Amino acid sequence: MTRFVPSALIVAALAAVATPSLAQASRAEAPRTAKVQAVMVCASDTATRRAYQREFGAEPVFVTAQEAVEARQAGHQWSAPRCMTQRQYDRLISMTQTRASL
């Protein structure tokens, strides 16, 4: 009985500490995942198009960096990831880094 009480107190303390942090993490992730817009770097060759169609069930839709930023600001949500060329993806990254530094 004497060993049970300290063990129970330790378990209760750990549960009390872990529960709020787990609840906080689940609340923080829910809104962020709702607004995520996936963008992939895609080639425009036939094999890539077939693979994309097999994975997502539709033809790939290519967007520019500017279109992706405008869609994010407007709150658009995509059912499948959009494709970009490597150059447009690099431009998107530089645009978001510039905005973060301001």
Side-chain angles (χ1 to χ4, degrees):
M1 181 71 176
T2 310
R3 291 186 182 184
F4 175 73
V5 173
S7 299
L9 288 175
I10 291 172
V11 169
L14 288 174
V17 170
T19 303
S21 64
L22 292 175
Q24 182 75 14
S26 65
R27 267 188 262 134
E29 289 176 15
R32 188 178 67 201
T33 56
K35 295 184 179 181
V36 170
Q37 296 171 324
V39 177
M40 299 171 44
V41 176
C42 303
S44 59
D45 62 338
T46 306
T48 303
R49 288 183 178 275
R50 274 193 239 142
Y52 185 93
Q53 191 167 13
R54 183 175 48 248
E55 181 72 25
F56 300 107
E59 288 285 323
V61 177
F62 282 82
V63 295
T64 64
Q66 186 64 36
E67 290 171 344
V69 169
E70 290 171 359
R72 181 177 180 211
Q73 291 172 347
H76 295 296
Q77 294 183 2
W78 301 327
S79 59
R82 297 295 192 242
C83 288
M84 300 188 153
T85 62
Q86 182 65 46
R87 183 175 177 174
Q88 287 296 318
Y89 182 76
D90 292 340
R91 184 176 287 169
L92 177 66
I93 296 300
S94 69
M95 288 171 69
T96 57
Q97 288 175 346
T98 303
R99 290 178 189 268
S101 66
L102 295 176

